[in-house]
Amino acid sequence: MLRGRPLLAIGLSAILIAGAYLGVRASDDWRQRRIAQEAIRAARDAAVRAREIISVQSESVELMGHNAVVNSRLIVALRGRVDAGTLTDVFAGEAWWEPYRHLLTAISYEGTEIAFSQGPDVESLPLGDLIASSRSKGAQVARLVAASGRAYAAAATPMRFGQGFEDAVLVLARPIDSASLVAVSERAGAPLLLTDGRVVLGGAGAEGDVKLLASHIGKERQGPRALTDTAWGSAAIEVASPIWVWAGSRVTAVARAEAVHHQTRTRLLYGAAVVLGLVMTGLSLRKKPETMMFDAEALESRQDREAGAPSTPMANTASFPAVAMRNPASGVGMPLGRYMLLDRIGEGGMAEVFTAVSFGSSGFRRSFVIKRLRPEMAASPMAVAHFIDEANLASTLVHPNVVPVFDFGEVGGAYFLAQEYIVGRDLGRLTRRMVERNLPPLSAGTALYIAHEVLRGLHYAHEKRADDGTPLELVHRDVTPENVMISERGEIKVLDFGIVKAAHRVAQTDIGIVKGNVDFMAPEQARGRPVDRRADVFSVGLVLYFAVTRQALYQGDTLFDRLTRAAMGPGEEEMARIAALPAPLPELLASALSTDVDARFPSAAAFAQAIAVHGVSGASELSGVMLALFGDELALEQDRLAAAFPRGRREGDQLKREGEG
């Protein structure tokens, strides 16, 4: 009997050791599955991010196409069917085409025939289907195309010239080249490979990783994959038929953590098996007197019966646990209705801006800023409708922090509006002058004061209602340093509601058309998506950053680069620069510049209130800066306005001088 118990204990110990071995094998299988799942998940997430970034780059080409076709100078050139040689000279020499010069360009006047093309490999691009589709739909058509071993983002945009003119189609394209893929790889945080399912169209990342991804070409539809015991996973996502992006991922940190967990489980399993085996073997070798056991059991049973206690076993209770210009031909010095135009102080794609004086009886005079629709745009009903909308909407805005519009009119086909003349300069011009004089930037407190006052004006506009009480849902959409006026007394006023979004405008901006300055746009605006007041909140955050650093948050050599960055929103590089600013700027800007619209300050008032907590003052400092930088210039400007006389008086003075002579 004694010999049988040790043998039984040894057998049970062997079973325990075998069970521990099987447990270790199961733990190792779990470790490998866990690493593979994490590697595939990380690769899939990186592929999704890469597709999103490539899509943004494609959308940037679309948006540039939208904006190019409304350029008045391009309209004039293509409406007259300018020949290829002239277009080559125009595109090479004209400054207004500079933002598009780095893009491949093609123009079609009839059918799918290319009348003009410019850029390397543009002839190899399959543009015929793109142009035909754009003509048939009467709308922009954009897609990724592959040619010459490279992927291109291309957009064909129709240009409608009105009755009596044949339409044209403008095609802009940009290669998804090595530099573009490197930027995508950095933002996605993974090595990438672009392919059409047959050949490589480009790659970025470590050479070995790119080769691993290249070995998967042709297997895009077979799903993600992982290499055993390498912590490597890869996944492919279709960007646009038939172009795919492969992304790879090495989850080394997960692999190390799982290795530690596996070692711990291995020690516990084998340790428990050995300890239990030794215990059972030791117990089997002990000799226990059976009489004592019998007597004890008999005594216990008898005591229980005498006490009347139940004989049920015990339950287990364990628990588990803008720049001044002179040009008489442009209207300078000439009357426009009851206004005399003096100096042209700026111009844009749709309008020219002048200082002007209006005269009345008994020597009354007042200075204004006149915004006049460009002559070539006056022939466009849509441009006129937008201009009328601007005048009607802006004339209803009466607030200390908004530059008011006093008048609107039309003289001889020239549409204009009259705004308040502010004795001062805009924030952009102020900043440039400070850089020229090697002066330090504005203090954080003064920059916060500027942002606070801008936000007050914007909140007033956002809350504006129609006469019947209906919210107008105004959104400025062009809050930039150039549209923030600073008076010589340090007052802040928001300027130019020219591209304002409103619920009841006569002329609505088409979805996909980007209006405004890309350096100060919210991501949703840069992508041509619908916007609300929170887009203005984002723009104020960018203006605030500019005020304290004297540079835009997004850096890029071309408009396309900056537009793409704006469409993505601040990345790690931008957020690191924001974090280096003095308190409380990083905290405020983190909320204002969130790419998640719902995570931003919900309104301009909320942003202004967050600033006010830290104190708001800066008018006196700004006034001193304005007088130091522009005092003489502003005085001369005032003298020039004061020296202007009505046309009749000027002619009378001339006759008087001639008579005296």
Side-chain angles (χ1 to χ4, degrees), residues 13-61:
S13 297
I15 293 173
L16 287 172
I17 296 296
Y21 171 77
L22 294 175
V24 169
R25 288 290 301 272
S27 172
D28 191 48
D29 290 342
W30 163 256
R31 176 186 66 84
Q32 294 187 35
R33 286 197 303 272
R34 175 78 177 85
I35 295 171
Q37 290 171 357
E38 186 61 24
I40 288 173
R41 183 202 63 77
R44 187 184 291 113
D45 289 349
V48 170
R49 290 194 299 271
R51 178 180 62 181
E52 179 72 8
I53 299 166
I54 293 173
S55 297
V56 168
Q57 293 187 349
S58 301
E59 288 177 8
S60 298
V61 175

Side-chain angles (χ1 to χ4, degrees), residues 545 553 570 573-582 585-586 589-590 593:
Y545 178 87
L553 180 63
E573 176 187 345
E574 290 83 8
M575 294 309 297
R577 281 191 266 128
I578 290 172
L581 297 175
L585 292 171
L589 291 175
L593 300 179

